[in-house]
Amino acid sequence: MTESTLSTETTAYDGDPVFELHRGGKMAIAATASVSDKASLSMAYTPGVARVCTAIAEKPELAQTYTWVPNTVAVVTDGTAVLGLGDIGPAAAMPVMEGKAVLFKEFGGVDSIPICLDTTDVDEIVETVIRMAPSFGGINLEDISAPRCFEIEDRLKEALDIPVFHDDQHGTAVVTLAALMNALKLTGRSPESTRVVISGAGAAGVAVAKILLEFGIKDLVLLDRKGVISSTRSDLTASKKAIAEVTADVTGRTGTLAEALDGADVYVGVSGGTVPEELVATMAEKAIVFAMANPNPEIHPDVAHRYASIVATGRSDFPNQINNVLAFPGIFRGAIDVRASAITEGMKLAAAEALAALVEDELSETKVIPEPFDPRVGPAVSAAVAEAARVDGVARA
């Protein structure tokens, strides 16, 4: 069957605007060099290209100037944790990875290639990405299930000298922190005196916990389906045990969601579960609720507003959308601009601070974070990240 036949084949989805948008994919490769005559052909390809190849062979760093590599990111998944759909496999994950690549380009000016791997083996994923790495200036891991995603990211960060970033973890964490910075300001709280409850101990929950600790939150617990994650439990994975030691173990908190929420200042939901209204009612005065499960928040905003001063979700049809697109394009843009060898905790904190500062003059209970289409977002985040990379000593340009 030919390519043209594939693109025009009649299906049951004809006429559906979503499917029509996706017909043939959402992206394409475009040339930046014109090849219109023999002279341009001889420069773009043989024999002229051999001069560039030889120069790079002698000085590999020239690839940063004379190829697209430094401005190109691999968007890598194994299809095991796609959006709210779960383990749907690499083929079904491709529309999401294409979408991610489009967002990279539209919001950060970063080229990216979606790569869906037909393996869920940690060793195979790590080895495959390492072997591909010379073709890219950064690696964006996407929709890989926990706890495997933690090991994959850690091993790739250790093996590679280019930025490795798991957006489900760190993109979510950066935007959550930015919104929380402003929410604390509005409610007159300091990080040191704020009590935070995070429901969901997957990739996003653990990353949010870590960045909040870096920010200065002292009293924080994570919960999974069995309750507070503390070392008093005997069923913890390695990643859960590690996060327990710096969260619930510090304060000695244990128990159920009901016990954790009683008197809590902040609720962060990244679990996809449901929190009963009577539990929300037990939170502190001027509570802050970030119910980020999509499409159904753990606490519906209308319910949350009965008890909370500030409410955020992951949805675009309510105020205060916690959207990763506010973070990852600018983070990679900033890292690429200074040829960063890694993305540090300082760079993530700088991104959050830059996002929070953008709404300083219009800060309100319904605006603690910029809108995704705010044109200031990408430049502000990339500039802050680039400067933080220099401060942290990972910038090479």
Side-chain angles (χ1 to χ4, degrees), residues 71 113 147 150 209 293 353 356 378:
N71 193 58
I113 302 296
F150 303 121
E353 290 167 356

Side-chain angles (χ1 to χ4, degrees), residues 78 285 343 387:
D78 64 359
E285 291 291 321
I343 294 176
E387 180 56 31

Side-chain angles (χ1 to χ4, degrees), residues 23 51 63 72 121 145 147 150 210 212 214-215 219 228 230 241 256 268 278 292 295 302 306 316 360 373:
R23 185 183 289 276
R51 294 175 53 199
T72 307
D121 181 86
S145 62
F150 303 121
K210 288 179 178 178
L212 294 189
E214 287 282 340
F215 173 60
D219 192 342
V228 171
S230 77
K241 183 168 179 55
T256 64
V268 176
E278 56 267 25
M292 300 189 295
D302 294 343
R306 296 170 191 163
S316 59
E360 202 168 49
F373 289 98

Side-chain angles (χ1 to χ4, degrees), residues 159-174:
L160 301 177
D161 66 347
I162 57 176
V164 176
F165 187 81
H166 185 201
D167 187 48
D168 301 317
Q169 293 186 58
H170 311 301
T172 303
V174 165

Side-chain angles (χ1 to χ4, degrees), residues 279-295:
L279 300 192
V280 186
T282 68
M283 294 180 68
E285 291 291 321
K286 296 184 178 180
I288 298 165
V289 170
F290 290 179
M292 300 189 295
N294 235 334

Side-chain angles (χ1 to χ4, degrees), residues 136-331:
F136 298 100
I139 307 295
N140 183 89
L141 300 173
E142 191 75 21
D143 293 348
I144 299 173
S145 62
R148 297 158 49 257
C149 60
F150 303 121
E151 181 182 354
I152 291 168
E153 184 190 31
D154 288 344
R155 287 172 59 180
L156 289 174
K157 287 166 68 175
E158 184 177 349
L160 301 177
D161 66 347
I162 57 176
V164 176
F165 187 81
H166 185 201
D167 187 48
D168 301 317
Q169 293 186 58
H170 311 301
T172 303
V174 165
V175 183
T176 300
L177 174 57
L180 185 59
M181 287 175 171
N182 283 331
L184 294 182
K185 186 181 298 185
L186 283 170
T187 57
R189 291 181 167 95
S190 67
E192 297 78 12
S193 62
T194 297
R195 184 152 78 84
V196 178
V197 173
I198 301 174
S199 69
V206 171
V208 170
K210 288 179 178 178
I211 203 169
L212 294 189
L213 293 172
E214 287 282 340
F215 173 60
I217 297 292
K218 304 295 185 187
D219 192 342
L220 184 155
V221 296
L222 283 87
L223 294 96
D224 60 13
R225 292 182 180 86
K226 296 182 179 179
V228 171
I229 296 172
S230 77
S231 294
T232 60
R233 288 171 45 181
S234 60
D235 61 339
L236 300 183
T237 63
S239 62
K240 287 184 179 181
K241 183 168 179 55
I243 200 66
E245 291 171 354
V246 293
T247 56
D249 290 2
V250 174
T251 57
R253 297 191 186 278
T254 59
T256 64
L257 177 62
E259 292 170 299
L261 275 182
D262 190 7
D265 300 299
V266 179
Y267 169 82
V268 176
V270 283
S271 66
T274 302
V275 179
E277 180 175 351
E278 56 267 25
L279 300 192
V280 186
T282 68
M283 294 180 68
E285 291 291 321
K286 296 184 178 180
I288 298 165
V289 170
F290 290 179
M292 300 189 295
N294 235 334
N296 299 311
E298 292 88 350
I299 306 165
H300 192 279
D302 294 343
V303 173
H305 274 299
R306 296 170 191 163
Y307 311 99
S309 293
I310 298 169
V311 178
T313 71
R315 289 173 48 153
S316 59
D317 53 346
F318 292 103
N320 298 326
Q321 184 190 17
I322 308 294
N323 191 328
N324 288 19
V325 77
L326 292 167
F328 70 84
I331 289 173

